[in-house]
Amino acid sequence: MNSPVPLHPQHPFPPDFVWGVATSAFQIEGAAQADGRGESIWDRFCRQPGAIADGSNGDLACDHYHRLESDLDLIAGLGVDAYRFSMSWPRVQPSGSGPVNEAGMAFYERLVDGLIRRGIKPYLTLNHWDLPQALQDQGGWAARETVHRFVDYARLAAARLGHRVVSITTHNEPWVMAVLGHEHGIFAPGQRHRGTAMQVAHHLLLSHGLALQALRADGCPARLGIVLNLSPIGPATSSPEDAAAARLEDGRSVRWYMDPLFKGQYPEDVWQHLGSDAPQVQPGDMDIIATPMDFLGVNYYTRGVVSASGAWNVHQGGKPLTDMGWEIVPEGLTELLLRMHRDWQLPPLYVKENGAAFQDTLVQTDAGPRVHDQERTDYIASHIAAVGDALAQGVPMVGYMVWSLMDNFEWASGYAKRFGIVHVDYATLQRTPKDSYLWYRDFLQAQHAQRAPVAAAAA
Ligand code: FCB
């Protein structure tokens, strides 16, 4: 795959389509002890022997906290419309309740101001998994009280930044926090109990709805929504057992979130299947969860292929894999978006994360250091085309964001898996834009060039 990737996808994108790039606080900031930051559940989890593949942690990460201005220049150099980042809850409210930690909040004020100065729209996520450890010590997301702590935190964040950011996402990927964190135990806080996981998922959804209501009551002008990780899920074989397993997995990972958010109810088949592991739901909860959103974000990396034996990513052969071992299936993104459009009444829809890990090599060239990551460029370009296909078929797509701006702490995989379009040398922390960064920059330039006559005509 060495041919140049076309800069113009088959289907044109509307001039107001939002192109972006994404990161999250714990994965890039480092500065774990700086300026009064509290401990998060990921700090604690990283210290459990065997929890992180390379034994690493987020103490230094990309040291983004201390390299803010030059990282902002890297974002600006791409020519994106938007930057999606998350706020570290324990940095701005170290124990998860009480007054703002001003020194921590100042970082996000500088970040948002720096974006606006560079003409980039700030997209804020409140919870990208780094719950204050102090709240975990009181039961974490399994405790209903945490819902109210989150609403307080959301209000305090919005009071400072709600007028300057374009968009606020409550939670990133509730399924991951609930199921990988509390049922499979491979992510923080490392628990293994299905009933706990389902209670956590309910509390995340409830806190999302309550936060939306509170921010709107406060007059927050930012657009409000949530980001889900979704995949099309299919059976590994044509056996009825695999078909039933796929239907259940679709229920647990897709419908368990989409149905309450857009229909105000949990899917009956999954509820029955869960038995005593179904969550405690109080009267009124479902209406709160279904509070209308201004947008929905979806993160897409691969499809799910499920067998009755419990596997969810059975490789059916023929599909290339990323360094995560995930199949590369761009048409799965179109399929997913069309299905969402068919089965639910969607608000404006973004792809909020899409990208791939590959084993990159930094090479010295006459033009300086380079990373020739053709596979990542192909991945991104083919998925952008897949979004274009969905748009052409009527799905209300309004934006697309690449994961990720730079290589970073990939959770349980540590630093070994590189998702960045900018290479990070972890010994020197030097940043080197990869070829995929240069391609995305050129692609965006071509998009913007198409925009200009439209804008001029409208003026
Ligand atoms: C998503 C996470 C993001 C990143 C990518 C690869 O599940 O939201 O932080 O780790 O996967």
Side-chain angles (χ1 to χ4, degrees):
M1 291 206 272
N2 256 330
S3 53
V5 182
L7 295 179
H8 298 282
Q10 197 196 346
H11 298 293
F13 286 86
D16 54 354
F17 194 83
V18 178
W19 298 100
V21 67
T23 62
S24 88
F26 190 82
Q27 295 178 274
I28 64 168
E29 285 179 3
Q33 317 287 330
D35 297 331
R37 177 183 176 279
E39 188 187 12
S40 82
I41 57 172
W42 271 92
D43 296 299
R44 183 72 64 95
F45 185 67
C46 288
R47 276 159 184 88
Q48 280 184 24
I52 310 299
D54 57 5
S56 63
N57 57 54
D59 286 2
L60 180 60
C62 306
D63 201 28
H64 169 68
Y65 192 78
H66 295 117
R67 291 158 197 261
L68 180 61
E69 289 298 320
S70 49
D71 286 343
L72 287 172
D73 289 341
L74 271 174
I75 301 168
L78 261 179
V80 284
D81 305 303
Y83 174 56
R84 174 177 181 236
F85 63 98
S86 79
M87 178 181 275
S88 154
W89 186 351
R91 203 181 281 294
V92 302
Q93 219 186 12
S95 62
S97 59
V100 177
N101 172 34
E102 291 298 338
M105 185 60 89
F107 171 74
Y108 297 104
E109 298 195 313
R110 287 204 309 280
L111 168 52
V112 168
D113 288 347
L115 288 169
I116 293 171
R117 251 202 323 277
R118 290 168 176 83
I120 302 162
K121 297 185 172 83
Y123 277 59
L124 167 66
T125 299
L126 294 173
N127 172 22
H128 201 123
W129 309 354
D130 44 0
L131 183 75
Q133 180 63 39
L135 291 184
Q136 188 62 46
D137 296 341
Q138 295 158 49
W141 283 112
R144 197 169 166 106
E145 197 45 37
T146 300
V147 168
H148 302 292
R149 297 290 71 74
F150 178 76
V151 175
D152 292 348
Y153 158 60
R155 294 185 66 194
L156 145 174
R160 293 304 180 89
L161 297 175
H163 288 75
R164 283 181 276 167
V165 300
V166 166
S167 141
I168 299 180
T169 290
T170 52
H171 302 298
N172 179 70
E173 303 189 346
W175 177 88
V176 170
M177 285 182 274
V179 173
L180 299 189
H182 299 81
E183 182 174 337
H184 299 179
I186 58 170
F187 279 10
Q191 297 180 3
R192 291 173 199 270
H193 184 262
R194 189 173 71 168
T196 306
M198 300 320 288
Q199 196 61 53
V200 164
H202 181 67
H203 288 157
L204 287 166
L205 290 171
L206 180 64
S207 66
H208 153 82
L210 277 176
L212 253 55
Q213 295 185 355
L215 297 196
R216 290 204 178 115
D218 288 349
C220 173
R223 291 196 282 277
L224 309 176
I226 195 168
V227 172
L228 305 177
N229 57 297
L230 303 176
S231 289
I233 312 275
T237 70
S238 58
S239 77
E241 292 79 12
D242 285 357
R247 166 119 189 112
L248 178 61
E249 187 55 35
D250 175 71
R252 288 210 57 199
S253 62
V254 179
R255 290 181 286 121
W256 193 262
Y257 300 88
M258 291 296 286
D259 278 0
L261 288 166
F262 295 102
K263 296 180 178 167
Q265 62 195 40
Y266 285 118
E268 188 56 34
D269 59 329
V270 183
W271 187 277
Q272 292 302 333
H273 167 85
L274 288 171
S276 61
D277 284 340
Q280 303 280 331
V281 175
Q282 294 188 9
D285 284 3
M286 301 313 292
D287 286 347
I288 294 169
I289 293 173
T291 301
M293 288 186 254
D294 301 315
F295 69 86
L296 174 66
V298 48
N299 295 347
Y300 176 83
Y301 290 93
T302 189
R303 66 177 177 183
V305 181
V306 177
S307 76
S309 65
W312 72 273
N313 61 349
V314 181
H315 297 149
Q316 287 180 316
K319 301 278 182 204
L321 305 179
T322 70
D323 197 29
M324 298 298 279
W326 298 345
E327 287 182 319
I328 302 176
V329 195
E331 65 278 15
L333 176 54
T334 313
E335 180 190 332
L336 170 71
L337 298 171
L338 288 172
R339 184 267 177 116
M340 291 168 71
H341 184 46
R342 190 187 68 222
D343 288 358
W344 294 280
Q345 275 286 329
L346 297 176
L349 187 62
Y350 291 86
V351 170
K352 282 286 179 78
E353 285 181 25
N354 174 245
F358 290 106
Q359 291 198 3
D360 299 317
T361 338
L362 190 74
V363 293
Q364 296 304 327
T365 73
D366 292 345
R370 282 286 163 82
V371 177
H372 299 309
D373 59 339
Q374 180 76 37
E375 290 168 296
R376 184 174 291 102
T377 302
D378 290 340
Y379 182 100
I380 294 170
S382 59
H383 286 75
I384 288 176
V387 173
D389 289 346
L391 191 61
Q393 292 174 70
V395 184
M397 301 302 307
V398 295
Y400 170 90
M401 304 202 183
V402 169
W403 182 271
S404 176
L405 172 67
M406 59 183 134
D407 294 336
N408 59 49
F409 177 76
E410 180 43 39
W411 309 112
S413 306
Y415 294 95
K417 304 296 181 198
R418 294 177 176 271
F419 275 89
I421 56 174
V422 173
H423 178 271
V424 177
D425 177 331
Y426 291 111
T428 62
L429 293 175
Q430 175 150 359
R431 279 79 159 135
T432 305
K434 304 179 190 177
D435 286 359
S436 54
Y437 172 104
L438 304 175
W439 177 83
Y440 194 40
R441 182 197 63 189
D442 293 349
F443 170 81
L444 295 177
Q445 228 167 51
Q447 289 298 314
H448 293 157
Q450 280 181 349
R451 248 176 221 184
V454 180

